[in-house]
Amino acid sequence: MLLFRLLFDANYKMKIKIYIYILLACYIASFLRLFINNNFIVSIIGSLLFGFFIDKRLSYSIEKIILSGFFSCFTSFSGFIYFLYKVFNQGDLMKFIIFCNLIIIINLLVMYFGFWISRKIT
């Protein structure tokens, strides 16, 4: 059955192609994130670009590749999670709550700013 789908189902081939492009976008974003090597700057740039592209009228496949592939790896909060884990283990709960909320609020504001820029351009 799988062989039949691979050989004759054009829609199935298109889905496989989109998944491969999503994987490539994830690899590119991960390497770019490692190249910049600053979690705060990566998060700000990623949130700004995410806000910019979320308003655009993109095709379904391009939207999935950019939003689900590239930005999911580029704006990941894994660097912040380690930082917050260290703060939490020090026993300073108030500092942990403040930093966690500050990270989320700053990224949401930057994302809104990117959305606003996108609206002003188009």
Side-chain angles (χ1 to χ4, degrees):
M1 186 67 174
L2 181 63
L3 182 62
F4 177 76
R5 276 188 158 172
L6 288 174
L7 293 176
F8 298 108
D9 190 8
N11 193 21
Y12 189 75
K13 287 180 183 179
M14 183 59 85
K15 287 181 182 179
I16 295 291
K17 192 175 180 181
I18 290 172
Y19 290 138
I20 290 172
Y21 286 145
I22 289 173
L23 278 173
L24 287 174
C26 289
Y27 283 127
I28 291 169
S30 297
F31 286 125
L32 212 103
R33 186 171 167 253
L34 289 172
F35 179 72
I36 294 174
N37 200 19
N38 187 335
N39 291 328
F40 187 71
I41 292 174
V42 167
S43 180
I44 295 297
I45 292 170
S47 293
L48 182 74
L49 291 174
F50 187 84
F52 186 80
F53 280 108
I54 202 162
D55 187 45
K56 299 291 183 191
R57 302 273 188 239
L58 302 171
S59 70
Y60 177 78
S61 59
I62 297 296
E63 182 178 307
K64 291 298 174 198
I65 291 168
I66 291 176
L67 297 180
S68 298
F70 185 80
F71 290 123
S72 66
C73 289
F74 191 68
T75 60
S76 106
F77 291 100
S78 60
F80 289 125
I81 295 299
Y82 179 68
F83 169 73
L84 291 173
Y85 174 74
K86 288 193 311 188
V87 170
F88 186 75
N89 276 343
Q90 291 173 354
D92 197 357
L93 188 60
M94 187 57 87
K95 190 175 180 182
F96 172 79
I97 292 171
I98 289 171
F99 279 140
C100 186
N101 287 321
L102 191 64
I103 290 167
I104 292 170
I105 289 169
I106 288 173
N107 281 307
L108 286 175
L109 288 174
V110 170
M111 192 181 302
Y112 178 74
F113 183 67
F115 180 78
W116 181 74
I117 290 173
S118 175
R119 284 284 177 116
K120 291 295 180 182
I121 290 175
T122 56

PDB file of all heavy atoms in Angstrom, residues 40 43-44 47 77-88 92-109:
ATOM      1  N   PHE A  40      19.265  35.870  23.843  1.00  0.00           N
ATOM      2  CA  PHE A  40      18.381  37.028  23.854  1.00  0.00           C
ATOM      3  C   PHE A  40      18.255  37.651  22.469  1.00  0.00           C
ATOM      4  O   PHE A  40      17.151  37.960  22.019  1.00  0.00           O
ATOM      5  CB  PHE A  40      18.882  38.072  24.863  1.00  0.00           C
ATOM      6  CG  PHE A  40      17.949  39.213  25.044  1.00  0.00           C
ATOM      7  CD1 PHE A  40      16.736  39.039  25.698  1.00  0.00           C
ATOM      8  CD2 PHE A  40      18.269  40.456  24.543  1.00  0.00           C
ATOM      9  CE1 PHE A  40      15.861  40.093  25.855  1.00  0.00           C
ATOM     10  CE2 PHE A  40      17.396  41.518  24.704  1.00  0.00           C
ATOM     11  CZ  PHE A  40      16.188  41.342  25.354  1.00  0.00           C
ATOM     12  N   SER A  43      16.258  35.374  20.190  1.00  0.00           N
ATOM     13  CA  SER A  43      14.850  35.422  20.546  1.00  0.00           C
ATOM     14  C   SER A  43      14.188  36.699  20.031  1.00  0.00           C
ATOM     15  O   SER A  43      13.069  36.661  19.510  1.00  0.00           O
ATOM     16  CB  SER A  43      14.699  35.333  22.063  1.00  0.00           C
ATOM     17  OG  SER A  43      13.364  35.377  22.427  1.00  0.00           O
ATOM     18  N   ILE A  44      14.865  37.820  20.141  1.00  0.00           N
ATOM     19  CA  ILE A  44      14.322  39.091  19.662  1.00  0.00           C
ATOM     20  C   ILE A  44      14.194  39.090  18.141  1.00  0.00           C
ATOM     21  O   ILE A  44      13.146  39.461  17.595  1.00  0.00           O
ATOM     22  CB  ILE A  44      15.200  40.273  20.141  1.00  0.00           C
ATOM     23  CG1 ILE A  44      15.155  40.388  21.655  1.00  0.00           C
ATOM     24  CG2 ILE A  44      14.787  41.579  19.479  1.00  0.00           C
ATOM     25  CD1 ILE A  44      13.805  40.697  22.234  1.00  0.00           C
ATOM     26  N   SER A  47      11.384  36.610  17.131  1.00  0.00           N
ATOM     27  CA  SER A  47      10.045  37.115  17.431  1.00  0.00           C
ATOM     28  C   SER A  47       9.649  38.238  16.479  1.00  0.00           C
ATOM     29  O   SER A  47       8.504  38.318  16.047  1.00  0.00           O
ATOM     30  CB  SER A  47       9.980  37.620  18.868  1.00  0.00           C
ATOM     31  OG  SER A  47      10.129  36.564  19.767  1.00  0.00           O
ATOM     32  N   PHE A  77      13.099  28.348  23.106  1.00  0.00           N
ATOM     33  CA  PHE A  77      13.475  28.910  24.385  1.00  0.00           C
ATOM     34  C   PHE A  77      14.347  27.963  25.202  1.00  0.00           C
ATOM     35  O   PHE A  77      14.411  28.068  26.415  1.00  0.00           O
ATOM     36  CB  PHE A  77      12.221  29.281  25.176  1.00  0.00           C
ATOM     37  CG  PHE A  77      11.480  30.434  24.573  1.00  0.00           C
ATOM     38  CD1 PHE A  77      10.360  30.225  23.798  1.00  0.00           C
ATOM     39  CD2 PHE A  77      11.917  31.725  24.784  1.00  0.00           C
ATOM     40  CE1 PHE A  77       9.691  31.284  23.238  1.00  0.00           C
ATOM     41  CE2 PHE A  77      11.247  32.797  24.231  1.00  0.00           C
ATOM     42  CZ  PHE A  77      10.136  32.578  23.453  1.00  0.00           C
ATOM     43  N   SER A  78      15.024  27.048  24.550  1.00  0.00           N
ATOM     44  CA  SER A  78      15.826  26.075  25.295  1.00  0.00           C
ATOM     45  C   SER A  78      16.982  26.739  26.031  1.00  0.00           C
ATOM     46  O   SER A  78      17.357  26.310  27.116  1.00  0.00           O
ATOM     47  CB  SER A  78      16.338  24.985  24.361  1.00  0.00           C
ATOM     48  OG  SER A  78      17.140  25.552  23.353  1.00  0.00           O
ATOM     49  N   GLY A  79      17.558  27.779  25.472  1.00  0.00           N
ATOM     50  CA  GLY A  79      18.617  28.503  26.177  1.00  0.00           C
ATOM     51  C   GLY A  79      18.094  29.201  27.415  1.00  0.00           C
ATOM     52  O   GLY A  79      18.747  29.242  28.459  1.00  0.00           O
ATOM     53  N   PHE A  80      16.897  29.755  27.311  1.00  0.00           N
ATOM     54  CA  PHE A  80      16.303  30.409  28.468  1.00  0.00           C
ATOM     55  C   PHE A  80      15.879  29.398  29.523  1.00  0.00           C
ATOM     56  O   PHE A  80      15.918  29.695  30.719  1.00  0.00           O
ATOM     57  CB  PHE A  80      15.091  31.243  28.062  1.00  0.00           C
ATOM     58  CG  PHE A  80      15.445  32.480  27.296  1.00  0.00           C
ATOM     59  CD1 PHE A  80      14.896  32.721  26.059  1.00  0.00           C
ATOM     60  CD2 PHE A  80      16.336  33.406  27.807  1.00  0.00           C
ATOM     61  CE1 PHE A  80      15.209  33.864  25.353  1.00  0.00           C
ATOM     62  CE2 PHE A  80      16.665  34.545  27.113  1.00  0.00           C
ATOM     63  CZ  PHE A  80      16.097  34.778  25.875  1.00  0.00           C
ATOM     64  N   ILE A  81      15.485  28.225  29.094  1.00  0.00           N
ATOM     65  CA  ILE A  81      15.071  27.199  30.053  1.00  0.00           C
ATOM     66  C   ILE A  81      16.243  26.822  30.950  1.00  0.00           C
ATOM     67  O   ILE A  81      16.091  26.683  32.161  1.00  0.00           O
ATOM     68  CB  ILE A  81      14.514  25.959  29.320  1.00  0.00           C
ATOM     69  CG1 ILE A  81      13.240  26.316  28.565  1.00  0.00           C
ATOM     70  CG2 ILE A  81      14.272  24.814  30.268  1.00  0.00           C
ATOM     71  CD1 ILE A  81      12.114  26.815  29.439  1.00  0.00           C
ATOM     72  N   TYR A  82      17.420  26.682  30.363  1.00  0.00           N
ATOM     73  CA  TYR A  82      18.600  26.348  31.175  1.00  0.00           C
ATOM     74  C   TYR A  82      18.924  27.476  32.150  1.00  0.00           C
ATOM     75  O   TYR A  82      19.233  27.241  33.317  1.00  0.00           O
ATOM     76  CB  TYR A  82      19.796  26.047  30.270  1.00  0.00           C
ATOM     77  CG  TYR A  82      21.046  25.716  31.042  1.00  0.00           C
ATOM     78  CD1 TYR A  82      21.118  24.534  31.784  1.00  0.00           C
ATOM     79  CD2 TYR A  82      22.130  26.569  31.059  1.00  0.00           C
ATOM     80  CE1 TYR A  82      22.250  24.222  32.503  1.00  0.00           C
ATOM     81  CE2 TYR A  82      23.267  26.275  31.778  1.00  0.00           C
ATOM     82  CZ  TYR A  82      23.318  25.098  32.496  1.00  0.00           C
ATOM     83  OH  TYR A  82      24.432  24.789  33.217  1.00  0.00           O
ATOM     84  N   PHE A  83      18.836  28.722  31.674  1.00  0.00           N
ATOM     85  CA  PHE A  83      19.076  29.875  32.535  1.00  0.00           C
ATOM     86  C   PHE A  83      18.053  29.917  33.679  1.00  0.00           C
ATOM     87  O   PHE A  83      18.408  30.124  34.850  1.00  0.00           O
ATOM     88  CB  PHE A  83      19.004  31.161  31.701  1.00  0.00           C
ATOM     89  CG  PHE A  83      18.972  32.412  32.520  1.00  0.00           C
ATOM     90  CD1 PHE A  83      20.101  32.857  33.179  1.00  0.00           C
ATOM     91  CD2 PHE A  83      17.803  33.138  32.642  1.00  0.00           C
ATOM     92  CE1 PHE A  83      20.082  34.013  33.938  1.00  0.00           C
ATOM     93  CE2 PHE A  83      17.761  34.293  33.389  1.00  0.00           C
ATOM     94  CZ  PHE A  83      18.895  34.730  34.047  1.00  0.00           C
ATOM     95  N   LEU A  84      16.785  29.707  33.353  1.00  0.00           N
ATOM     96  CA  LEU A  84      15.743  29.723  34.385  1.00  0.00           C
ATOM     97  C   LEU A  84      15.900  28.550  35.354  1.00  0.00           C
ATOM     98  O   LEU A  84      15.607  28.672  36.545  1.00  0.00           O
ATOM     99  CB  LEU A  84      14.356  29.714  33.740  1.00  0.00           C
ATOM    100  CG  LEU A  84      13.972  30.978  32.989  1.00  0.00           C
ATOM    101  CD1 LEU A  84      12.656  30.777  32.251  1.00  0.00           C
ATOM    102  CD2 LEU A  84      13.892  32.167  33.919  1.00  0.00           C
ATOM    103  N   TYR A  85      16.366  27.417  34.854  1.00  0.00           N
ATOM    104  CA  TYR A  85      16.619  26.253  35.708  1.00  0.00           C
ATOM    105  C   TYR A  85      17.706  26.564  36.739  1.00  0.00           C
ATOM    106  O   TYR A  85      17.585  26.208  37.910  1.00  0.00           O
ATOM    107  CB  TYR A  85      17.022  25.055  34.834  1.00  0.00           C
ATOM    108  CG  TYR A  85      17.443  23.837  35.598  1.00  0.00           C
ATOM    109  CD1 TYR A  85      16.504  23.047  36.253  1.00  0.00           C
ATOM    110  CD2 TYR A  85      18.785  23.479  35.669  1.00  0.00           C
ATOM    111  CE1 TYR A  85      16.904  21.915  36.964  1.00  0.00           C
ATOM    112  CE2 TYR A  85      19.184  22.355  36.375  1.00  0.00           C
ATOM    113  CZ  TYR A  85      18.238  21.592  37.010  1.00  0.00           C
ATOM    114  OH  TYR A  85      18.628  20.484  37.711  1.00  0.00           O
ATOM    115  N   LYS A  86      18.774  27.252  36.289  1.00  0.00           N
ATOM    116  CA  LYS A  86      19.840  27.623  37.225  1.00  0.00           C
ATOM    117  C   LYS A  86      19.327  28.604  38.282  1.00  0.00           C
ATOM    118  O   LYS A  86      19.667  28.480  39.459  1.00  0.00           O
ATOM    119  CB  LYS A  86      21.019  28.234  36.467  1.00  0.00           C
ATOM    120  CG  LYS A  86      21.810  27.239  35.662  1.00  0.00           C
ATOM    121  CD  LYS A  86      23.142  27.747  35.167  1.00  0.00           C
ATOM    122  CE  LYS A  86      23.079  29.076  34.489  1.00  0.00           C
ATOM    123  NZ  LYS A  86      24.346  29.480  33.853  1.00  0.00           N
ATOM    124  N   VAL A  87      18.502  29.565  37.872  1.00  0.00           N
ATOM    125  CA  VAL A  87      17.941  30.527  38.831  1.00  0.00           C
ATOM    126  C   VAL A  87      17.027  29.812  39.816  1.00  0.00           C
ATOM    127  O   VAL A  87      17.052  30.075  41.023  1.00  0.00           O
ATOM    128  CB  VAL A  87      17.190  31.658  38.088  1.00  0.00           C
ATOM    129  CG1 VAL A  87      16.400  32.531  39.050  1.00  0.00           C
ATOM    130  CG2 VAL A  87      18.156  32.498  37.282  1.00  0.00           C
ATOM    131  N   PHE A  88      16.225  28.883  39.314  1.00  0.00           N
ATOM    132  CA  PHE A  88      15.294  28.141  40.163  1.00  0.00           C
ATOM    133  C   PHE A  88      16.041  27.276  41.181  1.00  0.00           C
ATOM    134  O   PHE A  88      15.636  27.172  42.338  1.00  0.00           O
ATOM    135  CB  PHE A  88      14.363  27.287  39.311  1.00  0.00           C
ATOM    136  CG  PHE A  88      13.287  26.597  40.082  1.00  0.00           C
ATOM    137  CD1 PHE A  88      12.204  27.308  40.557  1.00  0.00           C
ATOM    138  CD2 PHE A  88      13.359  25.237  40.338  1.00  0.00           C
ATOM    139  CE1 PHE A  88      11.198  26.677  41.267  1.00  0.00           C
ATOM    140  CE2 PHE A  88      12.374  24.600  41.053  1.00  0.00           C
ATOM    141  CZ  PHE A  88      11.280  25.327  41.524  1.00  0.00           C
ATOM    142  N   ASP A  92      15.859  31.166  44.383  1.00  0.00           N
ATOM    143  CA  ASP A  92      15.284  32.501  44.290  1.00  0.00           C
ATOM    144  C   ASP A  92      14.034  32.443  43.410  1.00  0.00           C
ATOM    145  O   ASP A  92      14.081  32.680  42.210  1.00  0.00           O
ATOM    146  CB  ASP A  92      16.318  33.467  43.712  1.00  0.00           C
ATOM    147  CG  ASP A  92      15.950  34.911  43.952  1.00  0.00           C
ATOM    148  OD1 ASP A  92      14.870  35.161  44.508  1.00  0.00           O
ATOM    149  OD2 ASP A  92      16.755  35.776  43.585  1.00  0.00           O
ATOM    150  N   LEU A  93      12.903  32.137  44.027  1.00  0.00           N
ATOM    151  CA  LEU A  93      11.658  31.947  43.294  1.00  0.00           C
ATOM    152  C   LEU A  93      11.149  33.259  42.693  1.00  0.00           C
ATOM    153  O   LEU A  93      10.628  33.269  41.577  1.00  0.00           O
ATOM    154  CB  LEU A  93      10.594  31.334  44.214  1.00  0.00           C
ATOM    155  CG  LEU A  93       9.299  30.901  43.548  1.00  0.00           C
ATOM    156  CD1 LEU A  93       9.576  29.846  42.495  1.00  0.00           C
ATOM    157  CD2 LEU A  93       8.332  30.376  44.573  1.00  0.00           C
ATOM    158  N   MET A  94      11.310  34.358  43.390  1.00  0.00           N
ATOM    159  CA  MET A  94      10.832  35.642  42.881  1.00  0.00           C
ATOM    160  C   MET A  94      11.612  36.049  41.630  1.00  0.00           C
ATOM    161  O   MET A  94      11.022  36.525  40.655  1.00  0.00           O
ATOM    162  CB  MET A  94      10.958  36.723  43.964  1.00  0.00           C
ATOM    163  CG  MET A  94      10.322  38.024  43.549  1.00  0.00           C
ATOM    164  SD  MET A  94       8.585  37.845  43.125  1.00  0.00           S
ATOM    165  CE  MET A  94       7.870  38.050  44.719  1.00  0.00           C
ATOM    166  N   LYS A  95      12.914  35.854  41.645  1.00  0.00           N
ATOM    167  CA  LYS A  95      13.743  36.163  40.478  1.00  0.00           C
ATOM    168  C   LYS A  95      13.351  35.274  39.302  1.00  0.00           C
ATOM    169  O   LYS A  95      13.285  35.738  38.159  1.00  0.00           O
ATOM    170  CB  LYS A  95      15.211  35.962  40.840  1.00  0.00           C
ATOM    171  CG  LYS A  95      16.193  36.462  39.842  1.00  0.00           C
ATOM    172  CD  LYS A  95      17.605  36.293  40.393  1.00  0.00           C
ATOM    173  CE  LYS A  95      18.650  36.767  39.435  1.00  0.00           C
ATOM    174  NZ  LYS A  95      20.006  36.563  39.945  1.00  0.00           N
ATOM    175  N   PHE A  96      13.061  34.000  39.570  1.00  0.00           N
ATOM    176  CA  PHE A  96      12.622  33.063  38.540  1.00  0.00           C
ATOM    177  C   PHE A  96      11.324  33.538  37.895  1.00  0.00           C
ATOM    178  O   PHE A  96      11.203  33.559  36.663  1.00  0.00           O
ATOM    179  CB  PHE A  96      12.436  31.669  39.154  1.00  0.00           C
ATOM    180  CG  PHE A  96      11.799  30.677  38.242  1.00  0.00           C
ATOM    181  CD1 PHE A  96      12.541  30.043  37.259  1.00  0.00           C
ATOM    182  CD2 PHE A  96      10.452  30.374  38.357  1.00  0.00           C
ATOM    183  CE1 PHE A  96      11.950  29.128  36.408  1.00  0.00           C
ATOM    184  CE2 PHE A  96       9.858  29.456  37.520  1.00  0.00           C
ATOM    185  CZ  PHE A  96      10.613  28.832  36.544  1.00  0.00           C
ATOM    186  N   ILE A  97      10.344  33.924  38.697  1.00  0.00           N
ATOM    187  CA  ILE A  97       9.053  34.376  38.170  1.00  0.00           C
ATOM    188  C   ILE A  97       9.212  35.661  37.369  1.00  0.00           C
ATOM    189  O   ILE A  97       8.627  35.810  36.287  1.00  0.00           O
ATOM    190  CB  ILE A  97       8.043  34.551  39.327  1.00  0.00           C
ATOM    191  CG1 ILE A  97       7.695  33.187  39.912  1.00  0.00           C
ATOM    192  CG2 ILE A  97       6.785  35.268  38.864  1.00  0.00           C
ATOM    193  CD1 ILE A  97       6.888  33.244  41.198  1.00  0.00           C
ATOM    194  N   ILE A  98      10.014  36.582  37.865  1.00  0.00           N
ATOM    195  CA  ILE A  98      10.222  37.847  37.154  1.00  0.00           C
ATOM    196  C   ILE A  98      10.902  37.612  35.808  1.00  0.00           C
ATOM    197  O   ILE A  98      10.453  38.140  34.774  1.00  0.00           O
ATOM    198  CB  ILE A  98      11.042  38.831  38.025  1.00  0.00           C
ATOM    199  CG1 ILE A  98      10.186  39.318  39.187  1.00  0.00           C
ATOM    200  CG2 ILE A  98      11.544  40.001  37.189  1.00  0.00           C
ATOM    201  CD1 ILE A  98      10.942  40.118  40.225  1.00  0.00           C
ATOM    202  N   PHE A  99      11.960  36.816  35.777  1.00  0.00           N
ATOM    203  CA  PHE A  99      12.664  36.560  34.518  1.00  0.00           C
ATOM    204  C   PHE A  99      11.779  35.802  33.526  1.00  0.00           C
ATOM    205  O   PHE A  99      11.785  36.113  32.330  1.00  0.00           O
ATOM    206  CB  PHE A  99      13.954  35.786  34.747  1.00  0.00           C
ATOM    207  CG  PHE A  99      15.098  36.637  35.184  1.00  0.00           C
ATOM    208  CD1 PHE A  99      15.977  36.185  36.147  1.00  0.00           C
ATOM    209  CD2 PHE A  99      15.322  37.878  34.636  1.00  0.00           C
ATOM    210  CE1 PHE A  99      17.048  36.952  36.550  1.00  0.00           C
ATOM    211  CE2 PHE A  99      16.379  38.660  35.031  1.00  0.00           C
ATOM    212  CZ  PHE A  99      17.259  38.200  35.995  1.00  0.00           C
ATOM    213  N   CYS A 100      11.033  34.828  33.998  1.00  0.00           N
ATOM    214  CA  CYS A 100      10.162  34.050  33.120  1.00  0.00           C
ATOM    215  C   CYS A 100       9.116  34.953  32.467  1.00  0.00           C
ATOM    216  O   CYS A 100       8.898  34.902  31.256  1.00  0.00           O
ATOM    217  CB  CYS A 100       9.505  32.930  33.914  1.00  0.00           C
ATOM    218  SG  CYS A 100       8.549  31.795  32.913  1.00  0.00           S
ATOM    219  N   ASN A 101       8.470  35.786  33.268  1.00  0.00           N
ATOM    220  CA  ASN A 101       7.464  36.693  32.719  1.00  0.00           C
ATOM    221  C   ASN A 101       8.077  37.766  31.843  1.00  0.00           C
ATOM    222  O   ASN A 101       7.494  38.154  30.826  1.00  0.00           O
ATOM    223  CB  ASN A 101       6.655  37.336  33.855  1.00  0.00           C
ATOM    224  CG  ASN A 101       5.715  36.354  34.488  1.00  0.00           C
ATOM    225  OD1 ASN A 101       5.111  35.543  33.811  1.00  0.00           O
ATOM    226  ND2 ASN A 101       5.604  36.411  35.805  1.00  0.00           N
ATOM    227  N   LEU A 102       9.238  38.252  32.200  1.00  0.00           N
ATOM    228  CA  LEU A 102       9.910  39.279  31.415  1.00  0.00           C
ATOM    229  C   LEU A 102      10.280  38.757  30.027  1.00  0.00           C
ATOM    230  O   LEU A 102      10.100  39.461  29.025  1.00  0.00           O
ATOM    231  CB  LEU A 102      11.155  39.762  32.155  1.00  0.00           C
ATOM    232  CG  LEU A 102      11.838  41.005  31.613  1.00  0.00           C
ATOM    233  CD1 LEU A 102      10.901  42.199  31.740  1.00  0.00           C
ATOM    234  CD2 LEU A 102      13.116  41.263  32.380  1.00  0.00           C
ATOM    235  N   ILE A 103      10.774  37.541  29.959  1.00  0.00           N
ATOM    236  CA  ILE A 103      11.130  36.934  28.674  1.00  0.00           C
ATOM    237  C   ILE A 103       9.896  36.817  27.791  1.00  0.00           C
ATOM    238  O   ILE A 103       9.918  37.180  26.608  1.00  0.00           O
ATOM    239  CB  ILE A 103      11.790  35.558  28.890  1.00  0.00           C
ATOM    240  CG1 ILE A 103      13.172  35.725  29.493  1.00  0.00           C
ATOM    241  CG2 ILE A 103      11.878  34.773  27.591  1.00  0.00           C
ATOM    242  CD1 ILE A 103      13.776  34.440  30.030  1.00  0.00           C
ATOM    243  N   ILE A 104       8.800  36.337  28.344  1.00  0.00           N
ATOM    244  CA  ILE A 104       7.569  36.169  27.566  1.00  0.00           C
ATOM    245  C   ILE A 104       7.015  37.519  27.120  1.00  0.00           C
ATOM    246  O   ILE A 104       6.636  37.691  25.951  1.00  0.00           O
ATOM    247  CB  ILE A 104       6.534  35.383  28.385  1.00  0.00           C
ATOM    248  CG1 ILE A 104       6.999  33.946  28.574  1.00  0.00           C
ATOM    249  CG2 ILE A 104       5.168  35.412  27.703  1.00  0.00           C
ATOM    250  CD1 ILE A 104       6.195  33.150  29.560  1.00  0.00           C
ATOM    251  N   ILE A 105       6.967  38.492  28.009  1.00  0.00           N
ATOM    252  CA  ILE A 105       6.403  39.800  27.678  1.00  0.00           C
ATOM    253  C   ILE A 105       7.241  40.512  26.617  1.00  0.00           C
ATOM    254  O   ILE A 105       6.697  41.076  25.653  1.00  0.00           O
ATOM    255  CB  ILE A 105       6.264  40.660  28.951  1.00  0.00           C
ATOM    256  CG1 ILE A 105       5.150  40.093  29.822  1.00  0.00           C
ATOM    257  CG2 ILE A 105       5.986  42.107  28.608  1.00  0.00           C
ATOM    258  CD1 ILE A 105       5.087  40.690  31.213  1.00  0.00           C
ATOM    259  N   ILE A 106       8.555  40.491  26.757  1.00  0.00           N
ATOM    260  CA  ILE A 106       9.411  41.147  25.761  1.00  0.00           C
ATOM    261  C   ILE A 106       9.242  40.503  24.396  1.00  0.00           C
ATOM    262  O   ILE A 106       9.116  41.200  23.378  1.00  0.00           O
ATOM    263  CB  ILE A 106      10.896  41.123  26.209  1.00  0.00           C
ATOM    264  CG1 ILE A 106      11.094  42.091  27.374  1.00  0.00           C
ATOM    265  CG2 ILE A 106      11.826  41.473  25.061  1.00  0.00           C
ATOM    266  CD1 ILE A 106      12.468  42.016  27.997  1.00  0.00           C
ATOM    267  N   ASN A 107       9.204  39.182  24.335  1.00  0.00           N
ATOM    268  CA  ASN A 107       9.032  38.505  23.047  1.00  0.00           C
ATOM    269  C   ASN A 107       7.668  38.791  22.432  1.00  0.00           C
ATOM    270  O   ASN A 107       7.565  38.962  21.213  1.00  0.00           O
ATOM    271  CB  ASN A 107       9.250  37.005  23.197  1.00  0.00           C
ATOM    272  CG  ASN A 107      10.713  36.662  23.236  1.00  0.00           C
ATOM    273  OD1 ASN A 107      11.465  37.056  22.362  1.00  0.00           O
ATOM    274  ND2 ASN A 107      11.121  35.957  24.254  1.00  0.00           N
ATOM    275  N   LEU A 108       6.630  38.859  23.234  1.00  0.00           N
ATOM    276  CA  LEU A 108       5.309  39.184  22.691  1.00  0.00           C
ATOM    277  C   LEU A 108       5.254  40.619  22.179  1.00  0.00           C
ATOM    278  O   LEU A 108       4.643  40.889  21.131  1.00  0.00           O
ATOM    279  CB  LEU A 108       4.231  38.953  23.746  1.00  0.00           C
ATOM    280  CG  LEU A 108       3.889  37.502  24.028  1.00  0.00           C
ATOM    281  CD1 LEU A 108       2.898  37.410  25.183  1.00  0.00           C
ATOM    282  CD2 LEU A 108       3.301  36.838  22.788  1.00  0.00           C
ATOM    283  N   LEU A 109       5.878  41.543  22.879  1.00  0.00           N
ATOM    284  CA  LEU A 109       5.913  42.932  22.407  1.00  0.00           C
ATOM    285  C   LEU A 109       6.708  43.071  21.110  1.00  0.00           C
ATOM    286  O   LEU A 109       6.291  43.786  20.189  1.00  0.00           O
ATOM    287  CB  LEU A 109       6.497  43.841  23.489  1.00  0.00           C
ATOM    288  CG  LEU A 109       5.607  44.099  24.699  1.00  0.00           C
ATOM    289  CD1 LEU A 109       6.355  44.894  25.754  1.00  0.00           C
ATOM    290  CD2 LEU A 109       4.333  44.812  24.298  1.00  0.00           C
TER     291      LEU A 109
END
